Amino acid sequence: MKISTKTIIFLGISLCCTSANYAQTTVHNYVDPMIGSEGVGRVFIGPSCPYGMVKPSPDCTVSPNSGWLPLPKEVTGFSQVHVSGTGGGPKYGNIQIMPFSGVLDKLDQASHRTEENVKLGYYETVFKENHIKTEITTAEKVSFYRITYPKNATKDLKIDPGFFLGESHEPEGREAQQFVGSQIEIVSDTEVRGYSRIRGGWNNGRAYTVYFWATFDQPIAKYVTWKDGKFYNNQSAQFDSGKKTAALVSFGKDGKQELNVKIGISFLSELKAKNNIEVEIPHWNFNTVLSSLENKWEQLLSRIQLSPDTSADYKKMFYTGLYHTMIMPVDRTGENPLWTNDEPYYDDFYCIWDTFRSSSPLITLIDSKRQVEIVNAMLNIYKREGYLPEGRSGNDNGRTQGGSNAETVLADAFVKNLKGIDYELALKAMLKDATIPPGGNEEREGRGGLLDYLRLGYVPFGTDRAGNRTMDYAYNDYNIATVAKGLNHTEIYNQYIKQADNWQNLWRSDYVNNGATGFIMPKDASGNWLDDVVFGESKIQKPTYKYTPVITESPWYVCHWCVFFYEGTSWEYSLSVPHDLPEVIRRSGGDVAFKNRLDTFFDSKLYDVSNEPSFLAPTMYHWIGKPYLSSDRIRAIIKDNFNTSHEGLPGNDDSGAMSSWLAFHMMGLYPNAGQPYYLLNTPLIKEITLQVGEGKNFKIMTKKMSEKNKYIKTALLNGQPYNKAWISHEDIVKGGELIFEMDSKPSVWGTTILPPKK
């Protein structure tokens, strides 16, 4: 067939345009903040900048962790600071506002939503009782509200710095937030300022203060202030006397029905909150703020592009996973009330026990400069407070759930060659955790049971979380050995690579359960294995119960923090040895026995997809030369547990831990955190392009992939045969192309060169 020159030119232009469109596809529209909002996910649904300090959204009573609950639950107001995906007790919910119409005579203005519209950077609702529409977007430190009142209705607003999430009627309730003080002042006819001082919450932290400055684009016509249950008509301020304060302001009926509100937030002062408004949103254009926020996310999310034929559901799941990963920790650089310097400061590490496995590695892959800031902020906390954070919120360390897992984050940065970090200082910080007991603050920082661990080589039963602490400390010691070796500290390396074997001291080799042999089990300080352990906390009567590898201790037998294994069973934790799986395989009886063990683990539903200690487990078939079985497990887990619904996450998102696990596996990659490689599995997406910095891209492509052709037959890395089912971080960040040819049945690919050993 003859093709004219014009046709060739037209086709060429079309192809160029198609290529350009693919490269410039807008991806932030695929983010659905409601995925994981219901059920156990607990994600934050309001607008947020990447790692943004301010997170405004509705509060539906004082109970939920993220503030939001589904319809028909009433809304008590909109607070400016929240967390995302957390378990435990709530935190924050500070500086609440609530639009209403009526008499300024009651603080409770709770209303029911008729509808909600939620997308990245934007929240909208209309209230049933008064038909007021509230729209929200945000900058880094400033919330922006556009409130539309019905015609002929008074434009009224509650401002309540006394509100907070997690309030309990029980004095000094564990993990409940406690009121310390609040203050409010009508500064002018367009400005209100004040603060909220709260302590406690999930980390049982010391008091933190959230200062605010609110500005309006219409003048206040009248107001009343409120304190400790009483209204005051002629007082423009209510000072802090340890009682709750608030104000009701009215803008009357005249003028436009749209009221715009900017609320600057600061952890330093009211004037700093005002300055944040002047710097971040010096205008009154709501749409400009929304567009700026969308652009910030687009620049980040578009660093990973999916092939155009990727299904809409997969695009939503993937980009929402990236989005949730980058909501926390929170960038509070320049907002640190504890010390003054120019170094990065981040807060709301919730908790590193949750996030070190997949969230931190994903941030490293997407936004390595940000990860350098986060690591330096952790070191900054160590320099000023003496210990690295394990969990941190409200400018206070707390709490530890297992190991001193900041070590893994530092080691991960080191082995992936992140620049701009003082690794000698990092090693000192790691050694502080590993050698100096935290002095009665074992839930706040450092290593609980450390002296026993150093003396016995394990944490004995009787110390809370003895089992998973031993497992975590052994891996943290491996992390220390890794950094020490790289920095040529041979003696330190020799000591800690030996201590990395300490998990073996709790391995009971003759214990059989569900056909598997060898488990991590309780042992007392005298070296005796314990089949029966103490029930409850009584100091007088000490009944016992039989401890088995399938038992879940809390809340049935002991308190949540008194368990041998935190949030898990011995079946889960006995596999949780990310640095020495070949030894676990040997102790389990070899490759065949280990395969059977994994099969039993998954088929008998002993695996918990919502539990971080099991995150690596689906990939463990790699270590016995059967990566195709890992791919089978991963695909089945995702199909059965993740989707685009409001209940689309199988567990607490834990600051993006669950979401980052999903995003990695959709790409066919999974990190072994603290080590410089990723395990390779069958991707769920035909083609993925990652921007890896300095104009370099790394592309993962599949040929002939379908529902039937789900097994990797061969692979090429930059045109050369690639027979490993794992790939180094270095190979990815220098750019290139990994091509998988798919088939309908497993092949020998990836079966001979196993992942690196300890």
Side-chain angles (χ1 to χ4, degrees):
M1 181 176 69
K2 186 176 180 181
I3 303 178
S4 70
T5 303
K6 290 182 179 180
T7 303
I8 293 172
I9 293 172
F10 173 77
L11 289 172
I13 293 172
S14 298
L15 288 171
C16 288
C17 290
T18 301
S19 175
N21 287 337
Y22 175 37
Q24 298 173 7
T25 300
T26 301
V27 299
H28 75 263
N29 289 324
Y30 291 110
V31 171
D32 182 356
M34 300 303 292
I35 293 176
S37 59
E38 297 184 35
V40 293
R42 295 184 174 183
V43 299
F44 170 74
I45 62 99
S48 174
C49 290
Y51 315 96
M53 189 177 86
V54 168
K55 291 179 168 52
S57 80
D59 294 314
C60 304
T61 76
V62 301
S63 300
N65 285 48
S66 65
W68 181 89
L69 288 173
L71 279 71
K73 196 65 178 175
E74 71 272 14
V75 171
T76 60
F78 302 90
S79 295
Q80 317 313 311
V81 189
H82 294 90
V83 292
S84 182
T86 63
K91 191 79 175 183
Y92 300 133
N94 309 106
I95 316 302
Q96 187 180 85
I97 69 167
M98 184 64 171
F100 67 98
S101 291
V103 183
L104 308 185
D105 63 352
K106 63 177 183 177
L107 201 63
D108 182 4
Q109 299 292 344
S111 297
H112 294 83
R113 296 154 288 177
T114 59
E115 60 186 47
E116 279 184 314
N117 179 17
V118 181
K119 64 177 185 176
L120 180 147
Y122 178 81
Y123 174 88
E124 176 193 29
T125 192
V126 176
F127 289 124
K128 185 183 299 184
E129 290 84 354
N130 50 34
H131 309 293
I132 296 172
K133 180 170 75 172
T134 303
E135 300 169 272
I136 318 173
T137 189
T138 190
E140 305 281 349
K141 302 179 182 70
V142 183
S143 304
F144 197 127
Y145 291 80
R146 183 166 62 189
I147 305 168
T148 306
Y149 296 80
K151 289 184 178 180
N152 300 318
T154 56
K155 302 180 291 266
D156 305 325
L157 189 70
K158 175 180 75 171
I159 307 171
D160 185 2
F163 179 88
F164 56 94
L165 293 171
E167 184 171 14
S168 172
H169 295 297
E170 176 188 349
E172 306 299 323
R174 184 177 173 86
E175 294 196 20
Q177 290 203 106
Q178 312 287 328
F179 180 79
V180 177
S182 71
Q183 185 166 292
I184 196 164
E185 180 185 5
I186 314 295
V187 181
S188 72
D189 62 357
T190 58
E191 296 169 297
V192 177
R193 67 183 179 185
Y195 64 76
S196 173
R197 183 170 292 130
I198 308 295
R199 62 184 173 86
W202 66 266
N203 66 330
N204 295 313
R206 61 193 169 202
Y208 64 91
T209 304
V210 181
Y211 299 93
F212 78 94
W213 193 287
T215 64
F216 318 106
D217 70 341
Q218 296 186 43
I220 297 171
K222 62 178 180 178
Y223 64 83
V224 296
T225 56
W226 180 93
K227 186 174 188 177
D228 193 26
K230 295 181 181 180
F231 284 100
Y232 298 86
N233 291 316
N234 299 314
Q235 295 185 19
S236 61
Q238 295 295 339
F239 63 85
D240 184 353
S241 60
K243 305 295 184 181
K244 291 185 178 181
T245 60
L248 303 179
V249 299
S250 178
F251 302 88
K253 294 182 180 180
D254 298 335
K256 61 187 179 74
Q257 297 308 117
E258 178 187 293
L259 173 69
N260 289 288
V261 181
K262 295 184 288 191
I263 304 176
I265 294 296
S266 174
F267 286 82
L268 296 180
S269 70
E270 294 162 345
L271 288 177
K272 181 62 166 61
K274 180 182 182 182
N275 179 255
N276 288 339
I277 297 175
E278 294 167 348
V279 170
E280 293 187 357
I281 314 179
H283 55 79
W284 287 103
N285 193 316
F286 183 95
N287 292 332
T288 296
V289 178
L290 174 57
S291 178
S292 174
L293 187 155
E294 290 172 338
N295 288 336
K296 289 175 182 177
W297 278 111
E298 185 65 27
Q299 290 175 20
L300 274 177
L301 299 174
S302 63
R303 293 177 185 178
I304 304 182
Q305 291 282 345
L306 311 183
S307 51
D309 60 353
T310 304
S311 71
D313 277 358
Y314 273 5
K315 288 178 180 177
K316 285 182 181 180
M317 290 164 65
F318 181 78
Y319 285 114
T320 304
L322 299 189
Y323 168 80
H324 282 149
T325 303
M326 295 184 284
I327 291 179
M328 292 168 61
V330 169
D331 185 356
R332 291 193 191 155
T333 303
E335 288 285 345
N336 182 2
L338 303 176
W339 59 83
T340 303
N341 59 31
D342 295 328
E343 297 177 43
Y345 179 68
Y346 282 70
D347 205 307
D348 295 330
F349 294 97
Y350 188 104
C351 282
I352 295 176
W353 183 89
D354 298 288
T355 59
F356 80 81
R357 297 169 174 88
S358 54
S359 297
S360 289
L362 187 55
I363 294 170
T364 295
L365 197 60
I366 298 171
D367 193 2
S368 61
K369 291 181 180 178
R370 177 75 70 166
Q371 185 63 18
V372 169
E373 285 188 5
I374 292 170
V375 169
N376 281 328
M378 292 164 63
L379 294 176
N380 198 9
I381 291 167
Y382 157 72
K383 284 191 296 185
R384 299 290 178 159
E385 298 194 350
Y387 282 93
L388 291 162
E390 165 61 22
R392 186 178 179 88
S393 195
N395 305 307
D396 197 13
N397 279 354
R399 62 180 51 203
T400 65
Q401 299 176 148
S404 48
N405 296 300
E407 270 92 279
T408 310
V409 178
L410 299 182
D412 198 68
F414 181 76
V415 298
K416 292 172 181 173
N417 200 28
L418 296 190
K419 305 296 186 184
I421 296 169
D422 183 345
Y423 288 109
E424 291 286 353
L425 176 64
L427 182 59
K428 289 179 182 178
M430 298 164 87
L431 290 171
K432 173 71 176 291
D433 279 340
T435 56
I436 307 298
N441 289 325
E442 287 84 1
E443 281 193 6
R444 187 172 185 267
E445 55 202 2
R447 296 188 183 185
L450 176 61
L451 295 180
D452 281 339
Y453 175 78
L454 295 176
R455 177 173 61 91
L456 301 171
Y458 62 93
V459 180
F461 186 84
T463 298
D464 294 346
R465 306 182 298 288
N468 65 288
R469 275 175 158 163
T470 299
M471 304 297 288
D472 285 359
Y473 295 170
Y475 189 48
N476 300 151
D477 287 344
Y478 175 78
N479 302 142
I480 293 171
T482 298
V483 176
K485 183 179 181 180
L487 296 176
N488 297 314
H489 294 289
T490 305
E491 289 187 9
I492 297 174
Y493 167 76
N494 289 336
Q495 176 185 345
Y496 284 91
I497 199 66
K498 183 179 179 181
Q499 287 182 200
D501 290 337
N502 279 348
W503 65 272
Q504 299 175 21
N505 295 325
L506 288 185
W507 183 273
R508 190 168 175 178
S509 59
D510 61 348
Y511 201 103
V512 179
N513 185 271
N514 280 275
T517 301
F519 287 90
I520 301 295
M521 296 293 283
K523 181 189 284 187
D524 66 20
S526 298
N528 301 309
W529 295 112
L530 303 177
D531 290 308
D532 299 296
V533 294
V534 175
F535 176 98
E537 301 173 78
S538 172
K539 304 298 182 184
I540 303 172
Q541 295 179 327
K542 295 188 177 180
T544 62
Y545 64 96
K546 187 174 182 60
Y547 192 91
T548 73
V550 297
I551 199 167
T552 301
E553 297 170 82
S554 177
W556 316 112
Y557 303 104
V558 293
C559 74
H560 187 69
W561 292 91
C562 309
V563 292
F564 181 63
F565 282 127
Y566 178 74
E567 290 188 0
T569 67
S570 181
W571 258 95
E572 295 175 86
Y573 276 101
S574 296
L575 295 169
S576 186
V577 190
H579 60 298
D580 205 4
L581 277 165
E583 182 61 19
V584 176
I585 293 167
R586 189 188 72 78
R587 288 171 174 262
S588 296
D591 289 2
V592 173
F594 190 72
K595 176 188 176 299
N596 292 336
R597 182 179 192 133
L598 288 178
D599 289 345
T600 299
F601 185 51
F602 293 107
D603 296 339
S604 299
K605 302 189 185 305
L606 298 169
Y607 164 75
D608 183 359
V609 63
S610 70
N611 198 24
E612 282 82 0
S614 289
F615 269 20
L616 188 64
T619 66
M620 289 182 182
Y621 293 97
H622 279 60
W623 276 269
I624 56 172
K626 297 183 185 297
Y628 53 89
L629 294 179
S630 296
S631 293
D632 283 345
R633 291 293 180 191
I634 292 161
R635 291 168 76 90
I637 291 165
I638 292 174
K639 181 179 179 182
D640 294 342
N641 295 281
F642 294 85
N643 55 63
T644 59
S645 76
H646 292 187
E647 297 184 0
L649 294 175
N652 296 158
D653 198 40
D654 289 325
S655 305
M658 196 66 55
S659 291
S660 55
W661 184 94
L662 172 66
F664 262 124
H665 280 310
M666 293 185 77
M667 291 190 289
L669 300 172
Y670 194 73
N672 195 356
Q675 302 181 56
Y677 64 88
Y678 304 83
L679 300 158
L680 295 173
N681 294 285
T682 299
L684 269 64
I685 298 158
K686 290 183 179 179
E687 185 176 315
I688 306 108
T689 303
L690 297 88
Q691 292 181 22
V692 289
E694 299 178 1
K696 297 176 182 176
N697 291 330
F698 186 80
K699 184 177 289 188
I700 303 171
M701 300 176 60
T702 61
K703 291 185 176 181
K704 304 178 184 177
M705 188 169 78
S706 65
E707 194 64 32
K708 181 180 178 182
N709 290 350
K710 60 181 181 178
Y711 297 106
I712 299 171
K713 181 180 179 181
T714 60
L716 295 174
L717 178 62
N718 300 326
Q720 300 298 314
Y722 193 79
N723 297 315
K724 298 184 293 187
W726 52 277
I727 187 170
S728 71
H729 180 77
E730 182 183 11
D731 278 339
I732 290 178
V733 297
K734 65 186 180 184
E737 188 174 71
L738 178 63
I739 301 175
F740 295 127
E741 183 178 352
M742 310 304 295
D743 201 354
S744 60
K745 57 183 182 299
S747 72
V748 297
W749 177 83
T751 61
T752 56
I753 307 174
L754 303 183
K757 295 182 179 180
K758 175 165 71 76

